[in-house]
Amino acid sequence: MENVPYTMKAWIYGQHGKPEDVLKLKSDVVVPELKEDQVLVKVMASGLNPVDNKRMLGIFVQAECPFPTVPGYDVAGVVVKVGSQVKNLKVGDEVYGNIHEKALDHPKQYGTLAKYTAVEERLLAPKPKNLSFAEAASLPFTAGQSILVLGGAGGVGSMVIQLAKHVFGASRVVATASTGKLELLRNLGADLAVDYTKENFEDLPEKFDVVYDSVEQCERAVKAMKEGGEVVIVIGAVTVPAFVFIVTSNGADLEKLNPYLESGKVKAVIDPNGIYPFSQTLEGLAYVDTGRVAGKVVIYPIQQDN
């Protein structure tokens, strides 16, 4: 069993503000104590999300945890300690997941931008054998009945098409892209590929349960959804009844995903410029904030960065 230290290196902030102003790398942060249903994960990689920046700015202050705060949602790592009520995971298991059960409802004080993080067993799944820790930390997903993906050829959009079609059994998947990328959409699993340079998606005769908008077309996206449907956006201004999508997951959903990842049917999508070492976390957060990311941004390696 690994000898877990009392303190660790972690990125931490003690007040709201821009990451470059408030986020500091410290080496004396206390390793979080385990609850009975939690495991302690030695963090190998952490995925960055737009919510990391927004949370630091204080946008979700009404549901926040106390300061000081270690940011970070997605994790891939190795179990080094288990709580007394943990049933399935054991020391040495390689795992991945999102450590916050509800992304905006009182998220944990100690996130994944640290050497160690504590997380409930039910939120984790075994890391697929053919995925690196960086790839495992990059995985986002969503579910829907009939789904329209705006910007389907991008890193995030391409993942949504694959998951909706191959994992969550969406009844129909339609996606938009430019003329040269329509074949890619079909190969990913889209039932219909729409050329946005030639037709307006909101004028399609069919409407959708979920419209996934990664290209900031919220006002138009609302017109393409069914009554009672949802528009899911990552960034940009929100038009009611849209809501901001924050990637979240649980271990059962992730385990359902594993066979597709191991077979190569669904692939982790990391931005070509999206891997930053632990010491360059601020640069990674700044890149996420540009809105030009195609796929996920990942902090890796973490343990080798002393």
Side-chain angles (χ1 to χ4, degrees), residues 12-291:
I12 196 162
Y13 61 98
Q15 64 185 67
H16 290 126
K18 294 180 180 178
E20 61 269 28
D21 295 331
V22 300
L23 190 62
K24 308 296 180 188
L25 182 58
K26 298 197 172 179
S27 57
D28 59 351
V29 179
V30 175
V31 172
E33 290 188 12
L34 284 187
K35 296 178 182 175
E36 291 182 341
D37 62 342
Q38 291 183 329
V39 299
L40 188 68
V41 176
K42 184 177 184 178
V43 181
M44 296 298 179
S46 175
L48 299 182
N49 296 290
V51 67
D52 291 308
N53 286 314
K54 292 177 170 59
R55 187 179 166 203
M56 228 173 298
L57 287 168
I59 290 174
F60 312 121
V61 67
Q62 71 279 6
E64 261 298 356
C65 64
F67 291 128
T69 302
V70 174
Y73 284 71
D74 305 323
V75 69
V78 180
V79 174
V80 293
K81 193 175 178 182
V82 299
S84 60
Q85 298 300 312
V86 171
K87 296 180 175 61
N88 299 312
L89 293 177
K90 61 186 184 302
V91 171
D93 284 349
E94 296 183 348
V95 294
Y96 77 114
N98 180 330
I99 72 162
H100 300 285
E101 190 152 26
K102 295 180 180 178
L104 302 183
D105 186 7
H106 296 91
K108 290 181 175 68
Q109 184 173 1
Y110 295 99
T112 61
L113 289 173
K115 297 279 187 173
Y116 297 90
T117 193
V119 56
E120 289 75 10
E121 178 185 33
R122 67 180 179 275
L123 300 181
L124 296 172
K127 181 179 74 66
K129 295 178 179 61
N130 62 323
L131 259 62
S132 68
F133 282 110
E135 288 171 324
S138 78
L139 292 167
F141 63 94
T142 188
Q145 295 158 316
S146 61
I147 181 168
L148 171 64
V149 183
L150 306 182
V156 176
S158 63
M159 175 65 81
V160 173
I161 294 171
Q162 295 178 80
L163 295 177
K165 190 66 178 179
H166 299 305
V167 180
F168 293 103
S171 59
R172 184 163 170 80
V173 179
V174 176
T176 68
S178 57
T179 311
K181 296 177 180 176
L182 300 180
E183 190 59 31
L184 169 63
L185 301 186
R186 298 185 190 100
N187 291 338
L188 290 171
D191 298 298
L192 176 65
V194 176
D195 186 341
Y196 68 74
T197 68
K198 296 180 180 176
E199 57 183 318
N200 295 322
F201 62 82
E202 66 267 37
D203 296 333
L204 290 170
E206 59 186 308
K207 302 301 176 186
F208 301 88
D209 295 304
V210 180
V211 181
Y212 188 98
D213 174 20
S214 61
V215 292
E216 297 188 75
Q217 294 288 329
C218 189
E219 282 193 32
R220 294 173 62 200
V222 169
K223 298 173 185 175
M225 74 180 191
K226 291 180 181 177
E227 186 175 349
E230 298 170 328
V231 171
V232 175
I233 65 171
V234 176
I235 52 174
V238 178
T239 303
V240 176
F243 68 97
V244 177
F245 172 71
I246 304 299
V247 175
T248 190
S249 61
N250 60 54
D253 287 339
L254 292 172
E255 287 209 46
K256 186 178 179 184
L257 177 59
N258 279 359
Y260 298 90
L261 291 161
E262 291 181 346
S263 70
K265 217 174 205 182
V266 173
K267 296 177 174 62
V269 183
I270 298 178
D271 185 284
N273 303 309
I275 296 183
Y276 292 81
F278 192 49
S279 60
Q280 293 179 22
T281 294
L282 282 171
E283 288 87 339
L285 287 165
Y287 184 48
V288 170
D289 213 31
T290 65

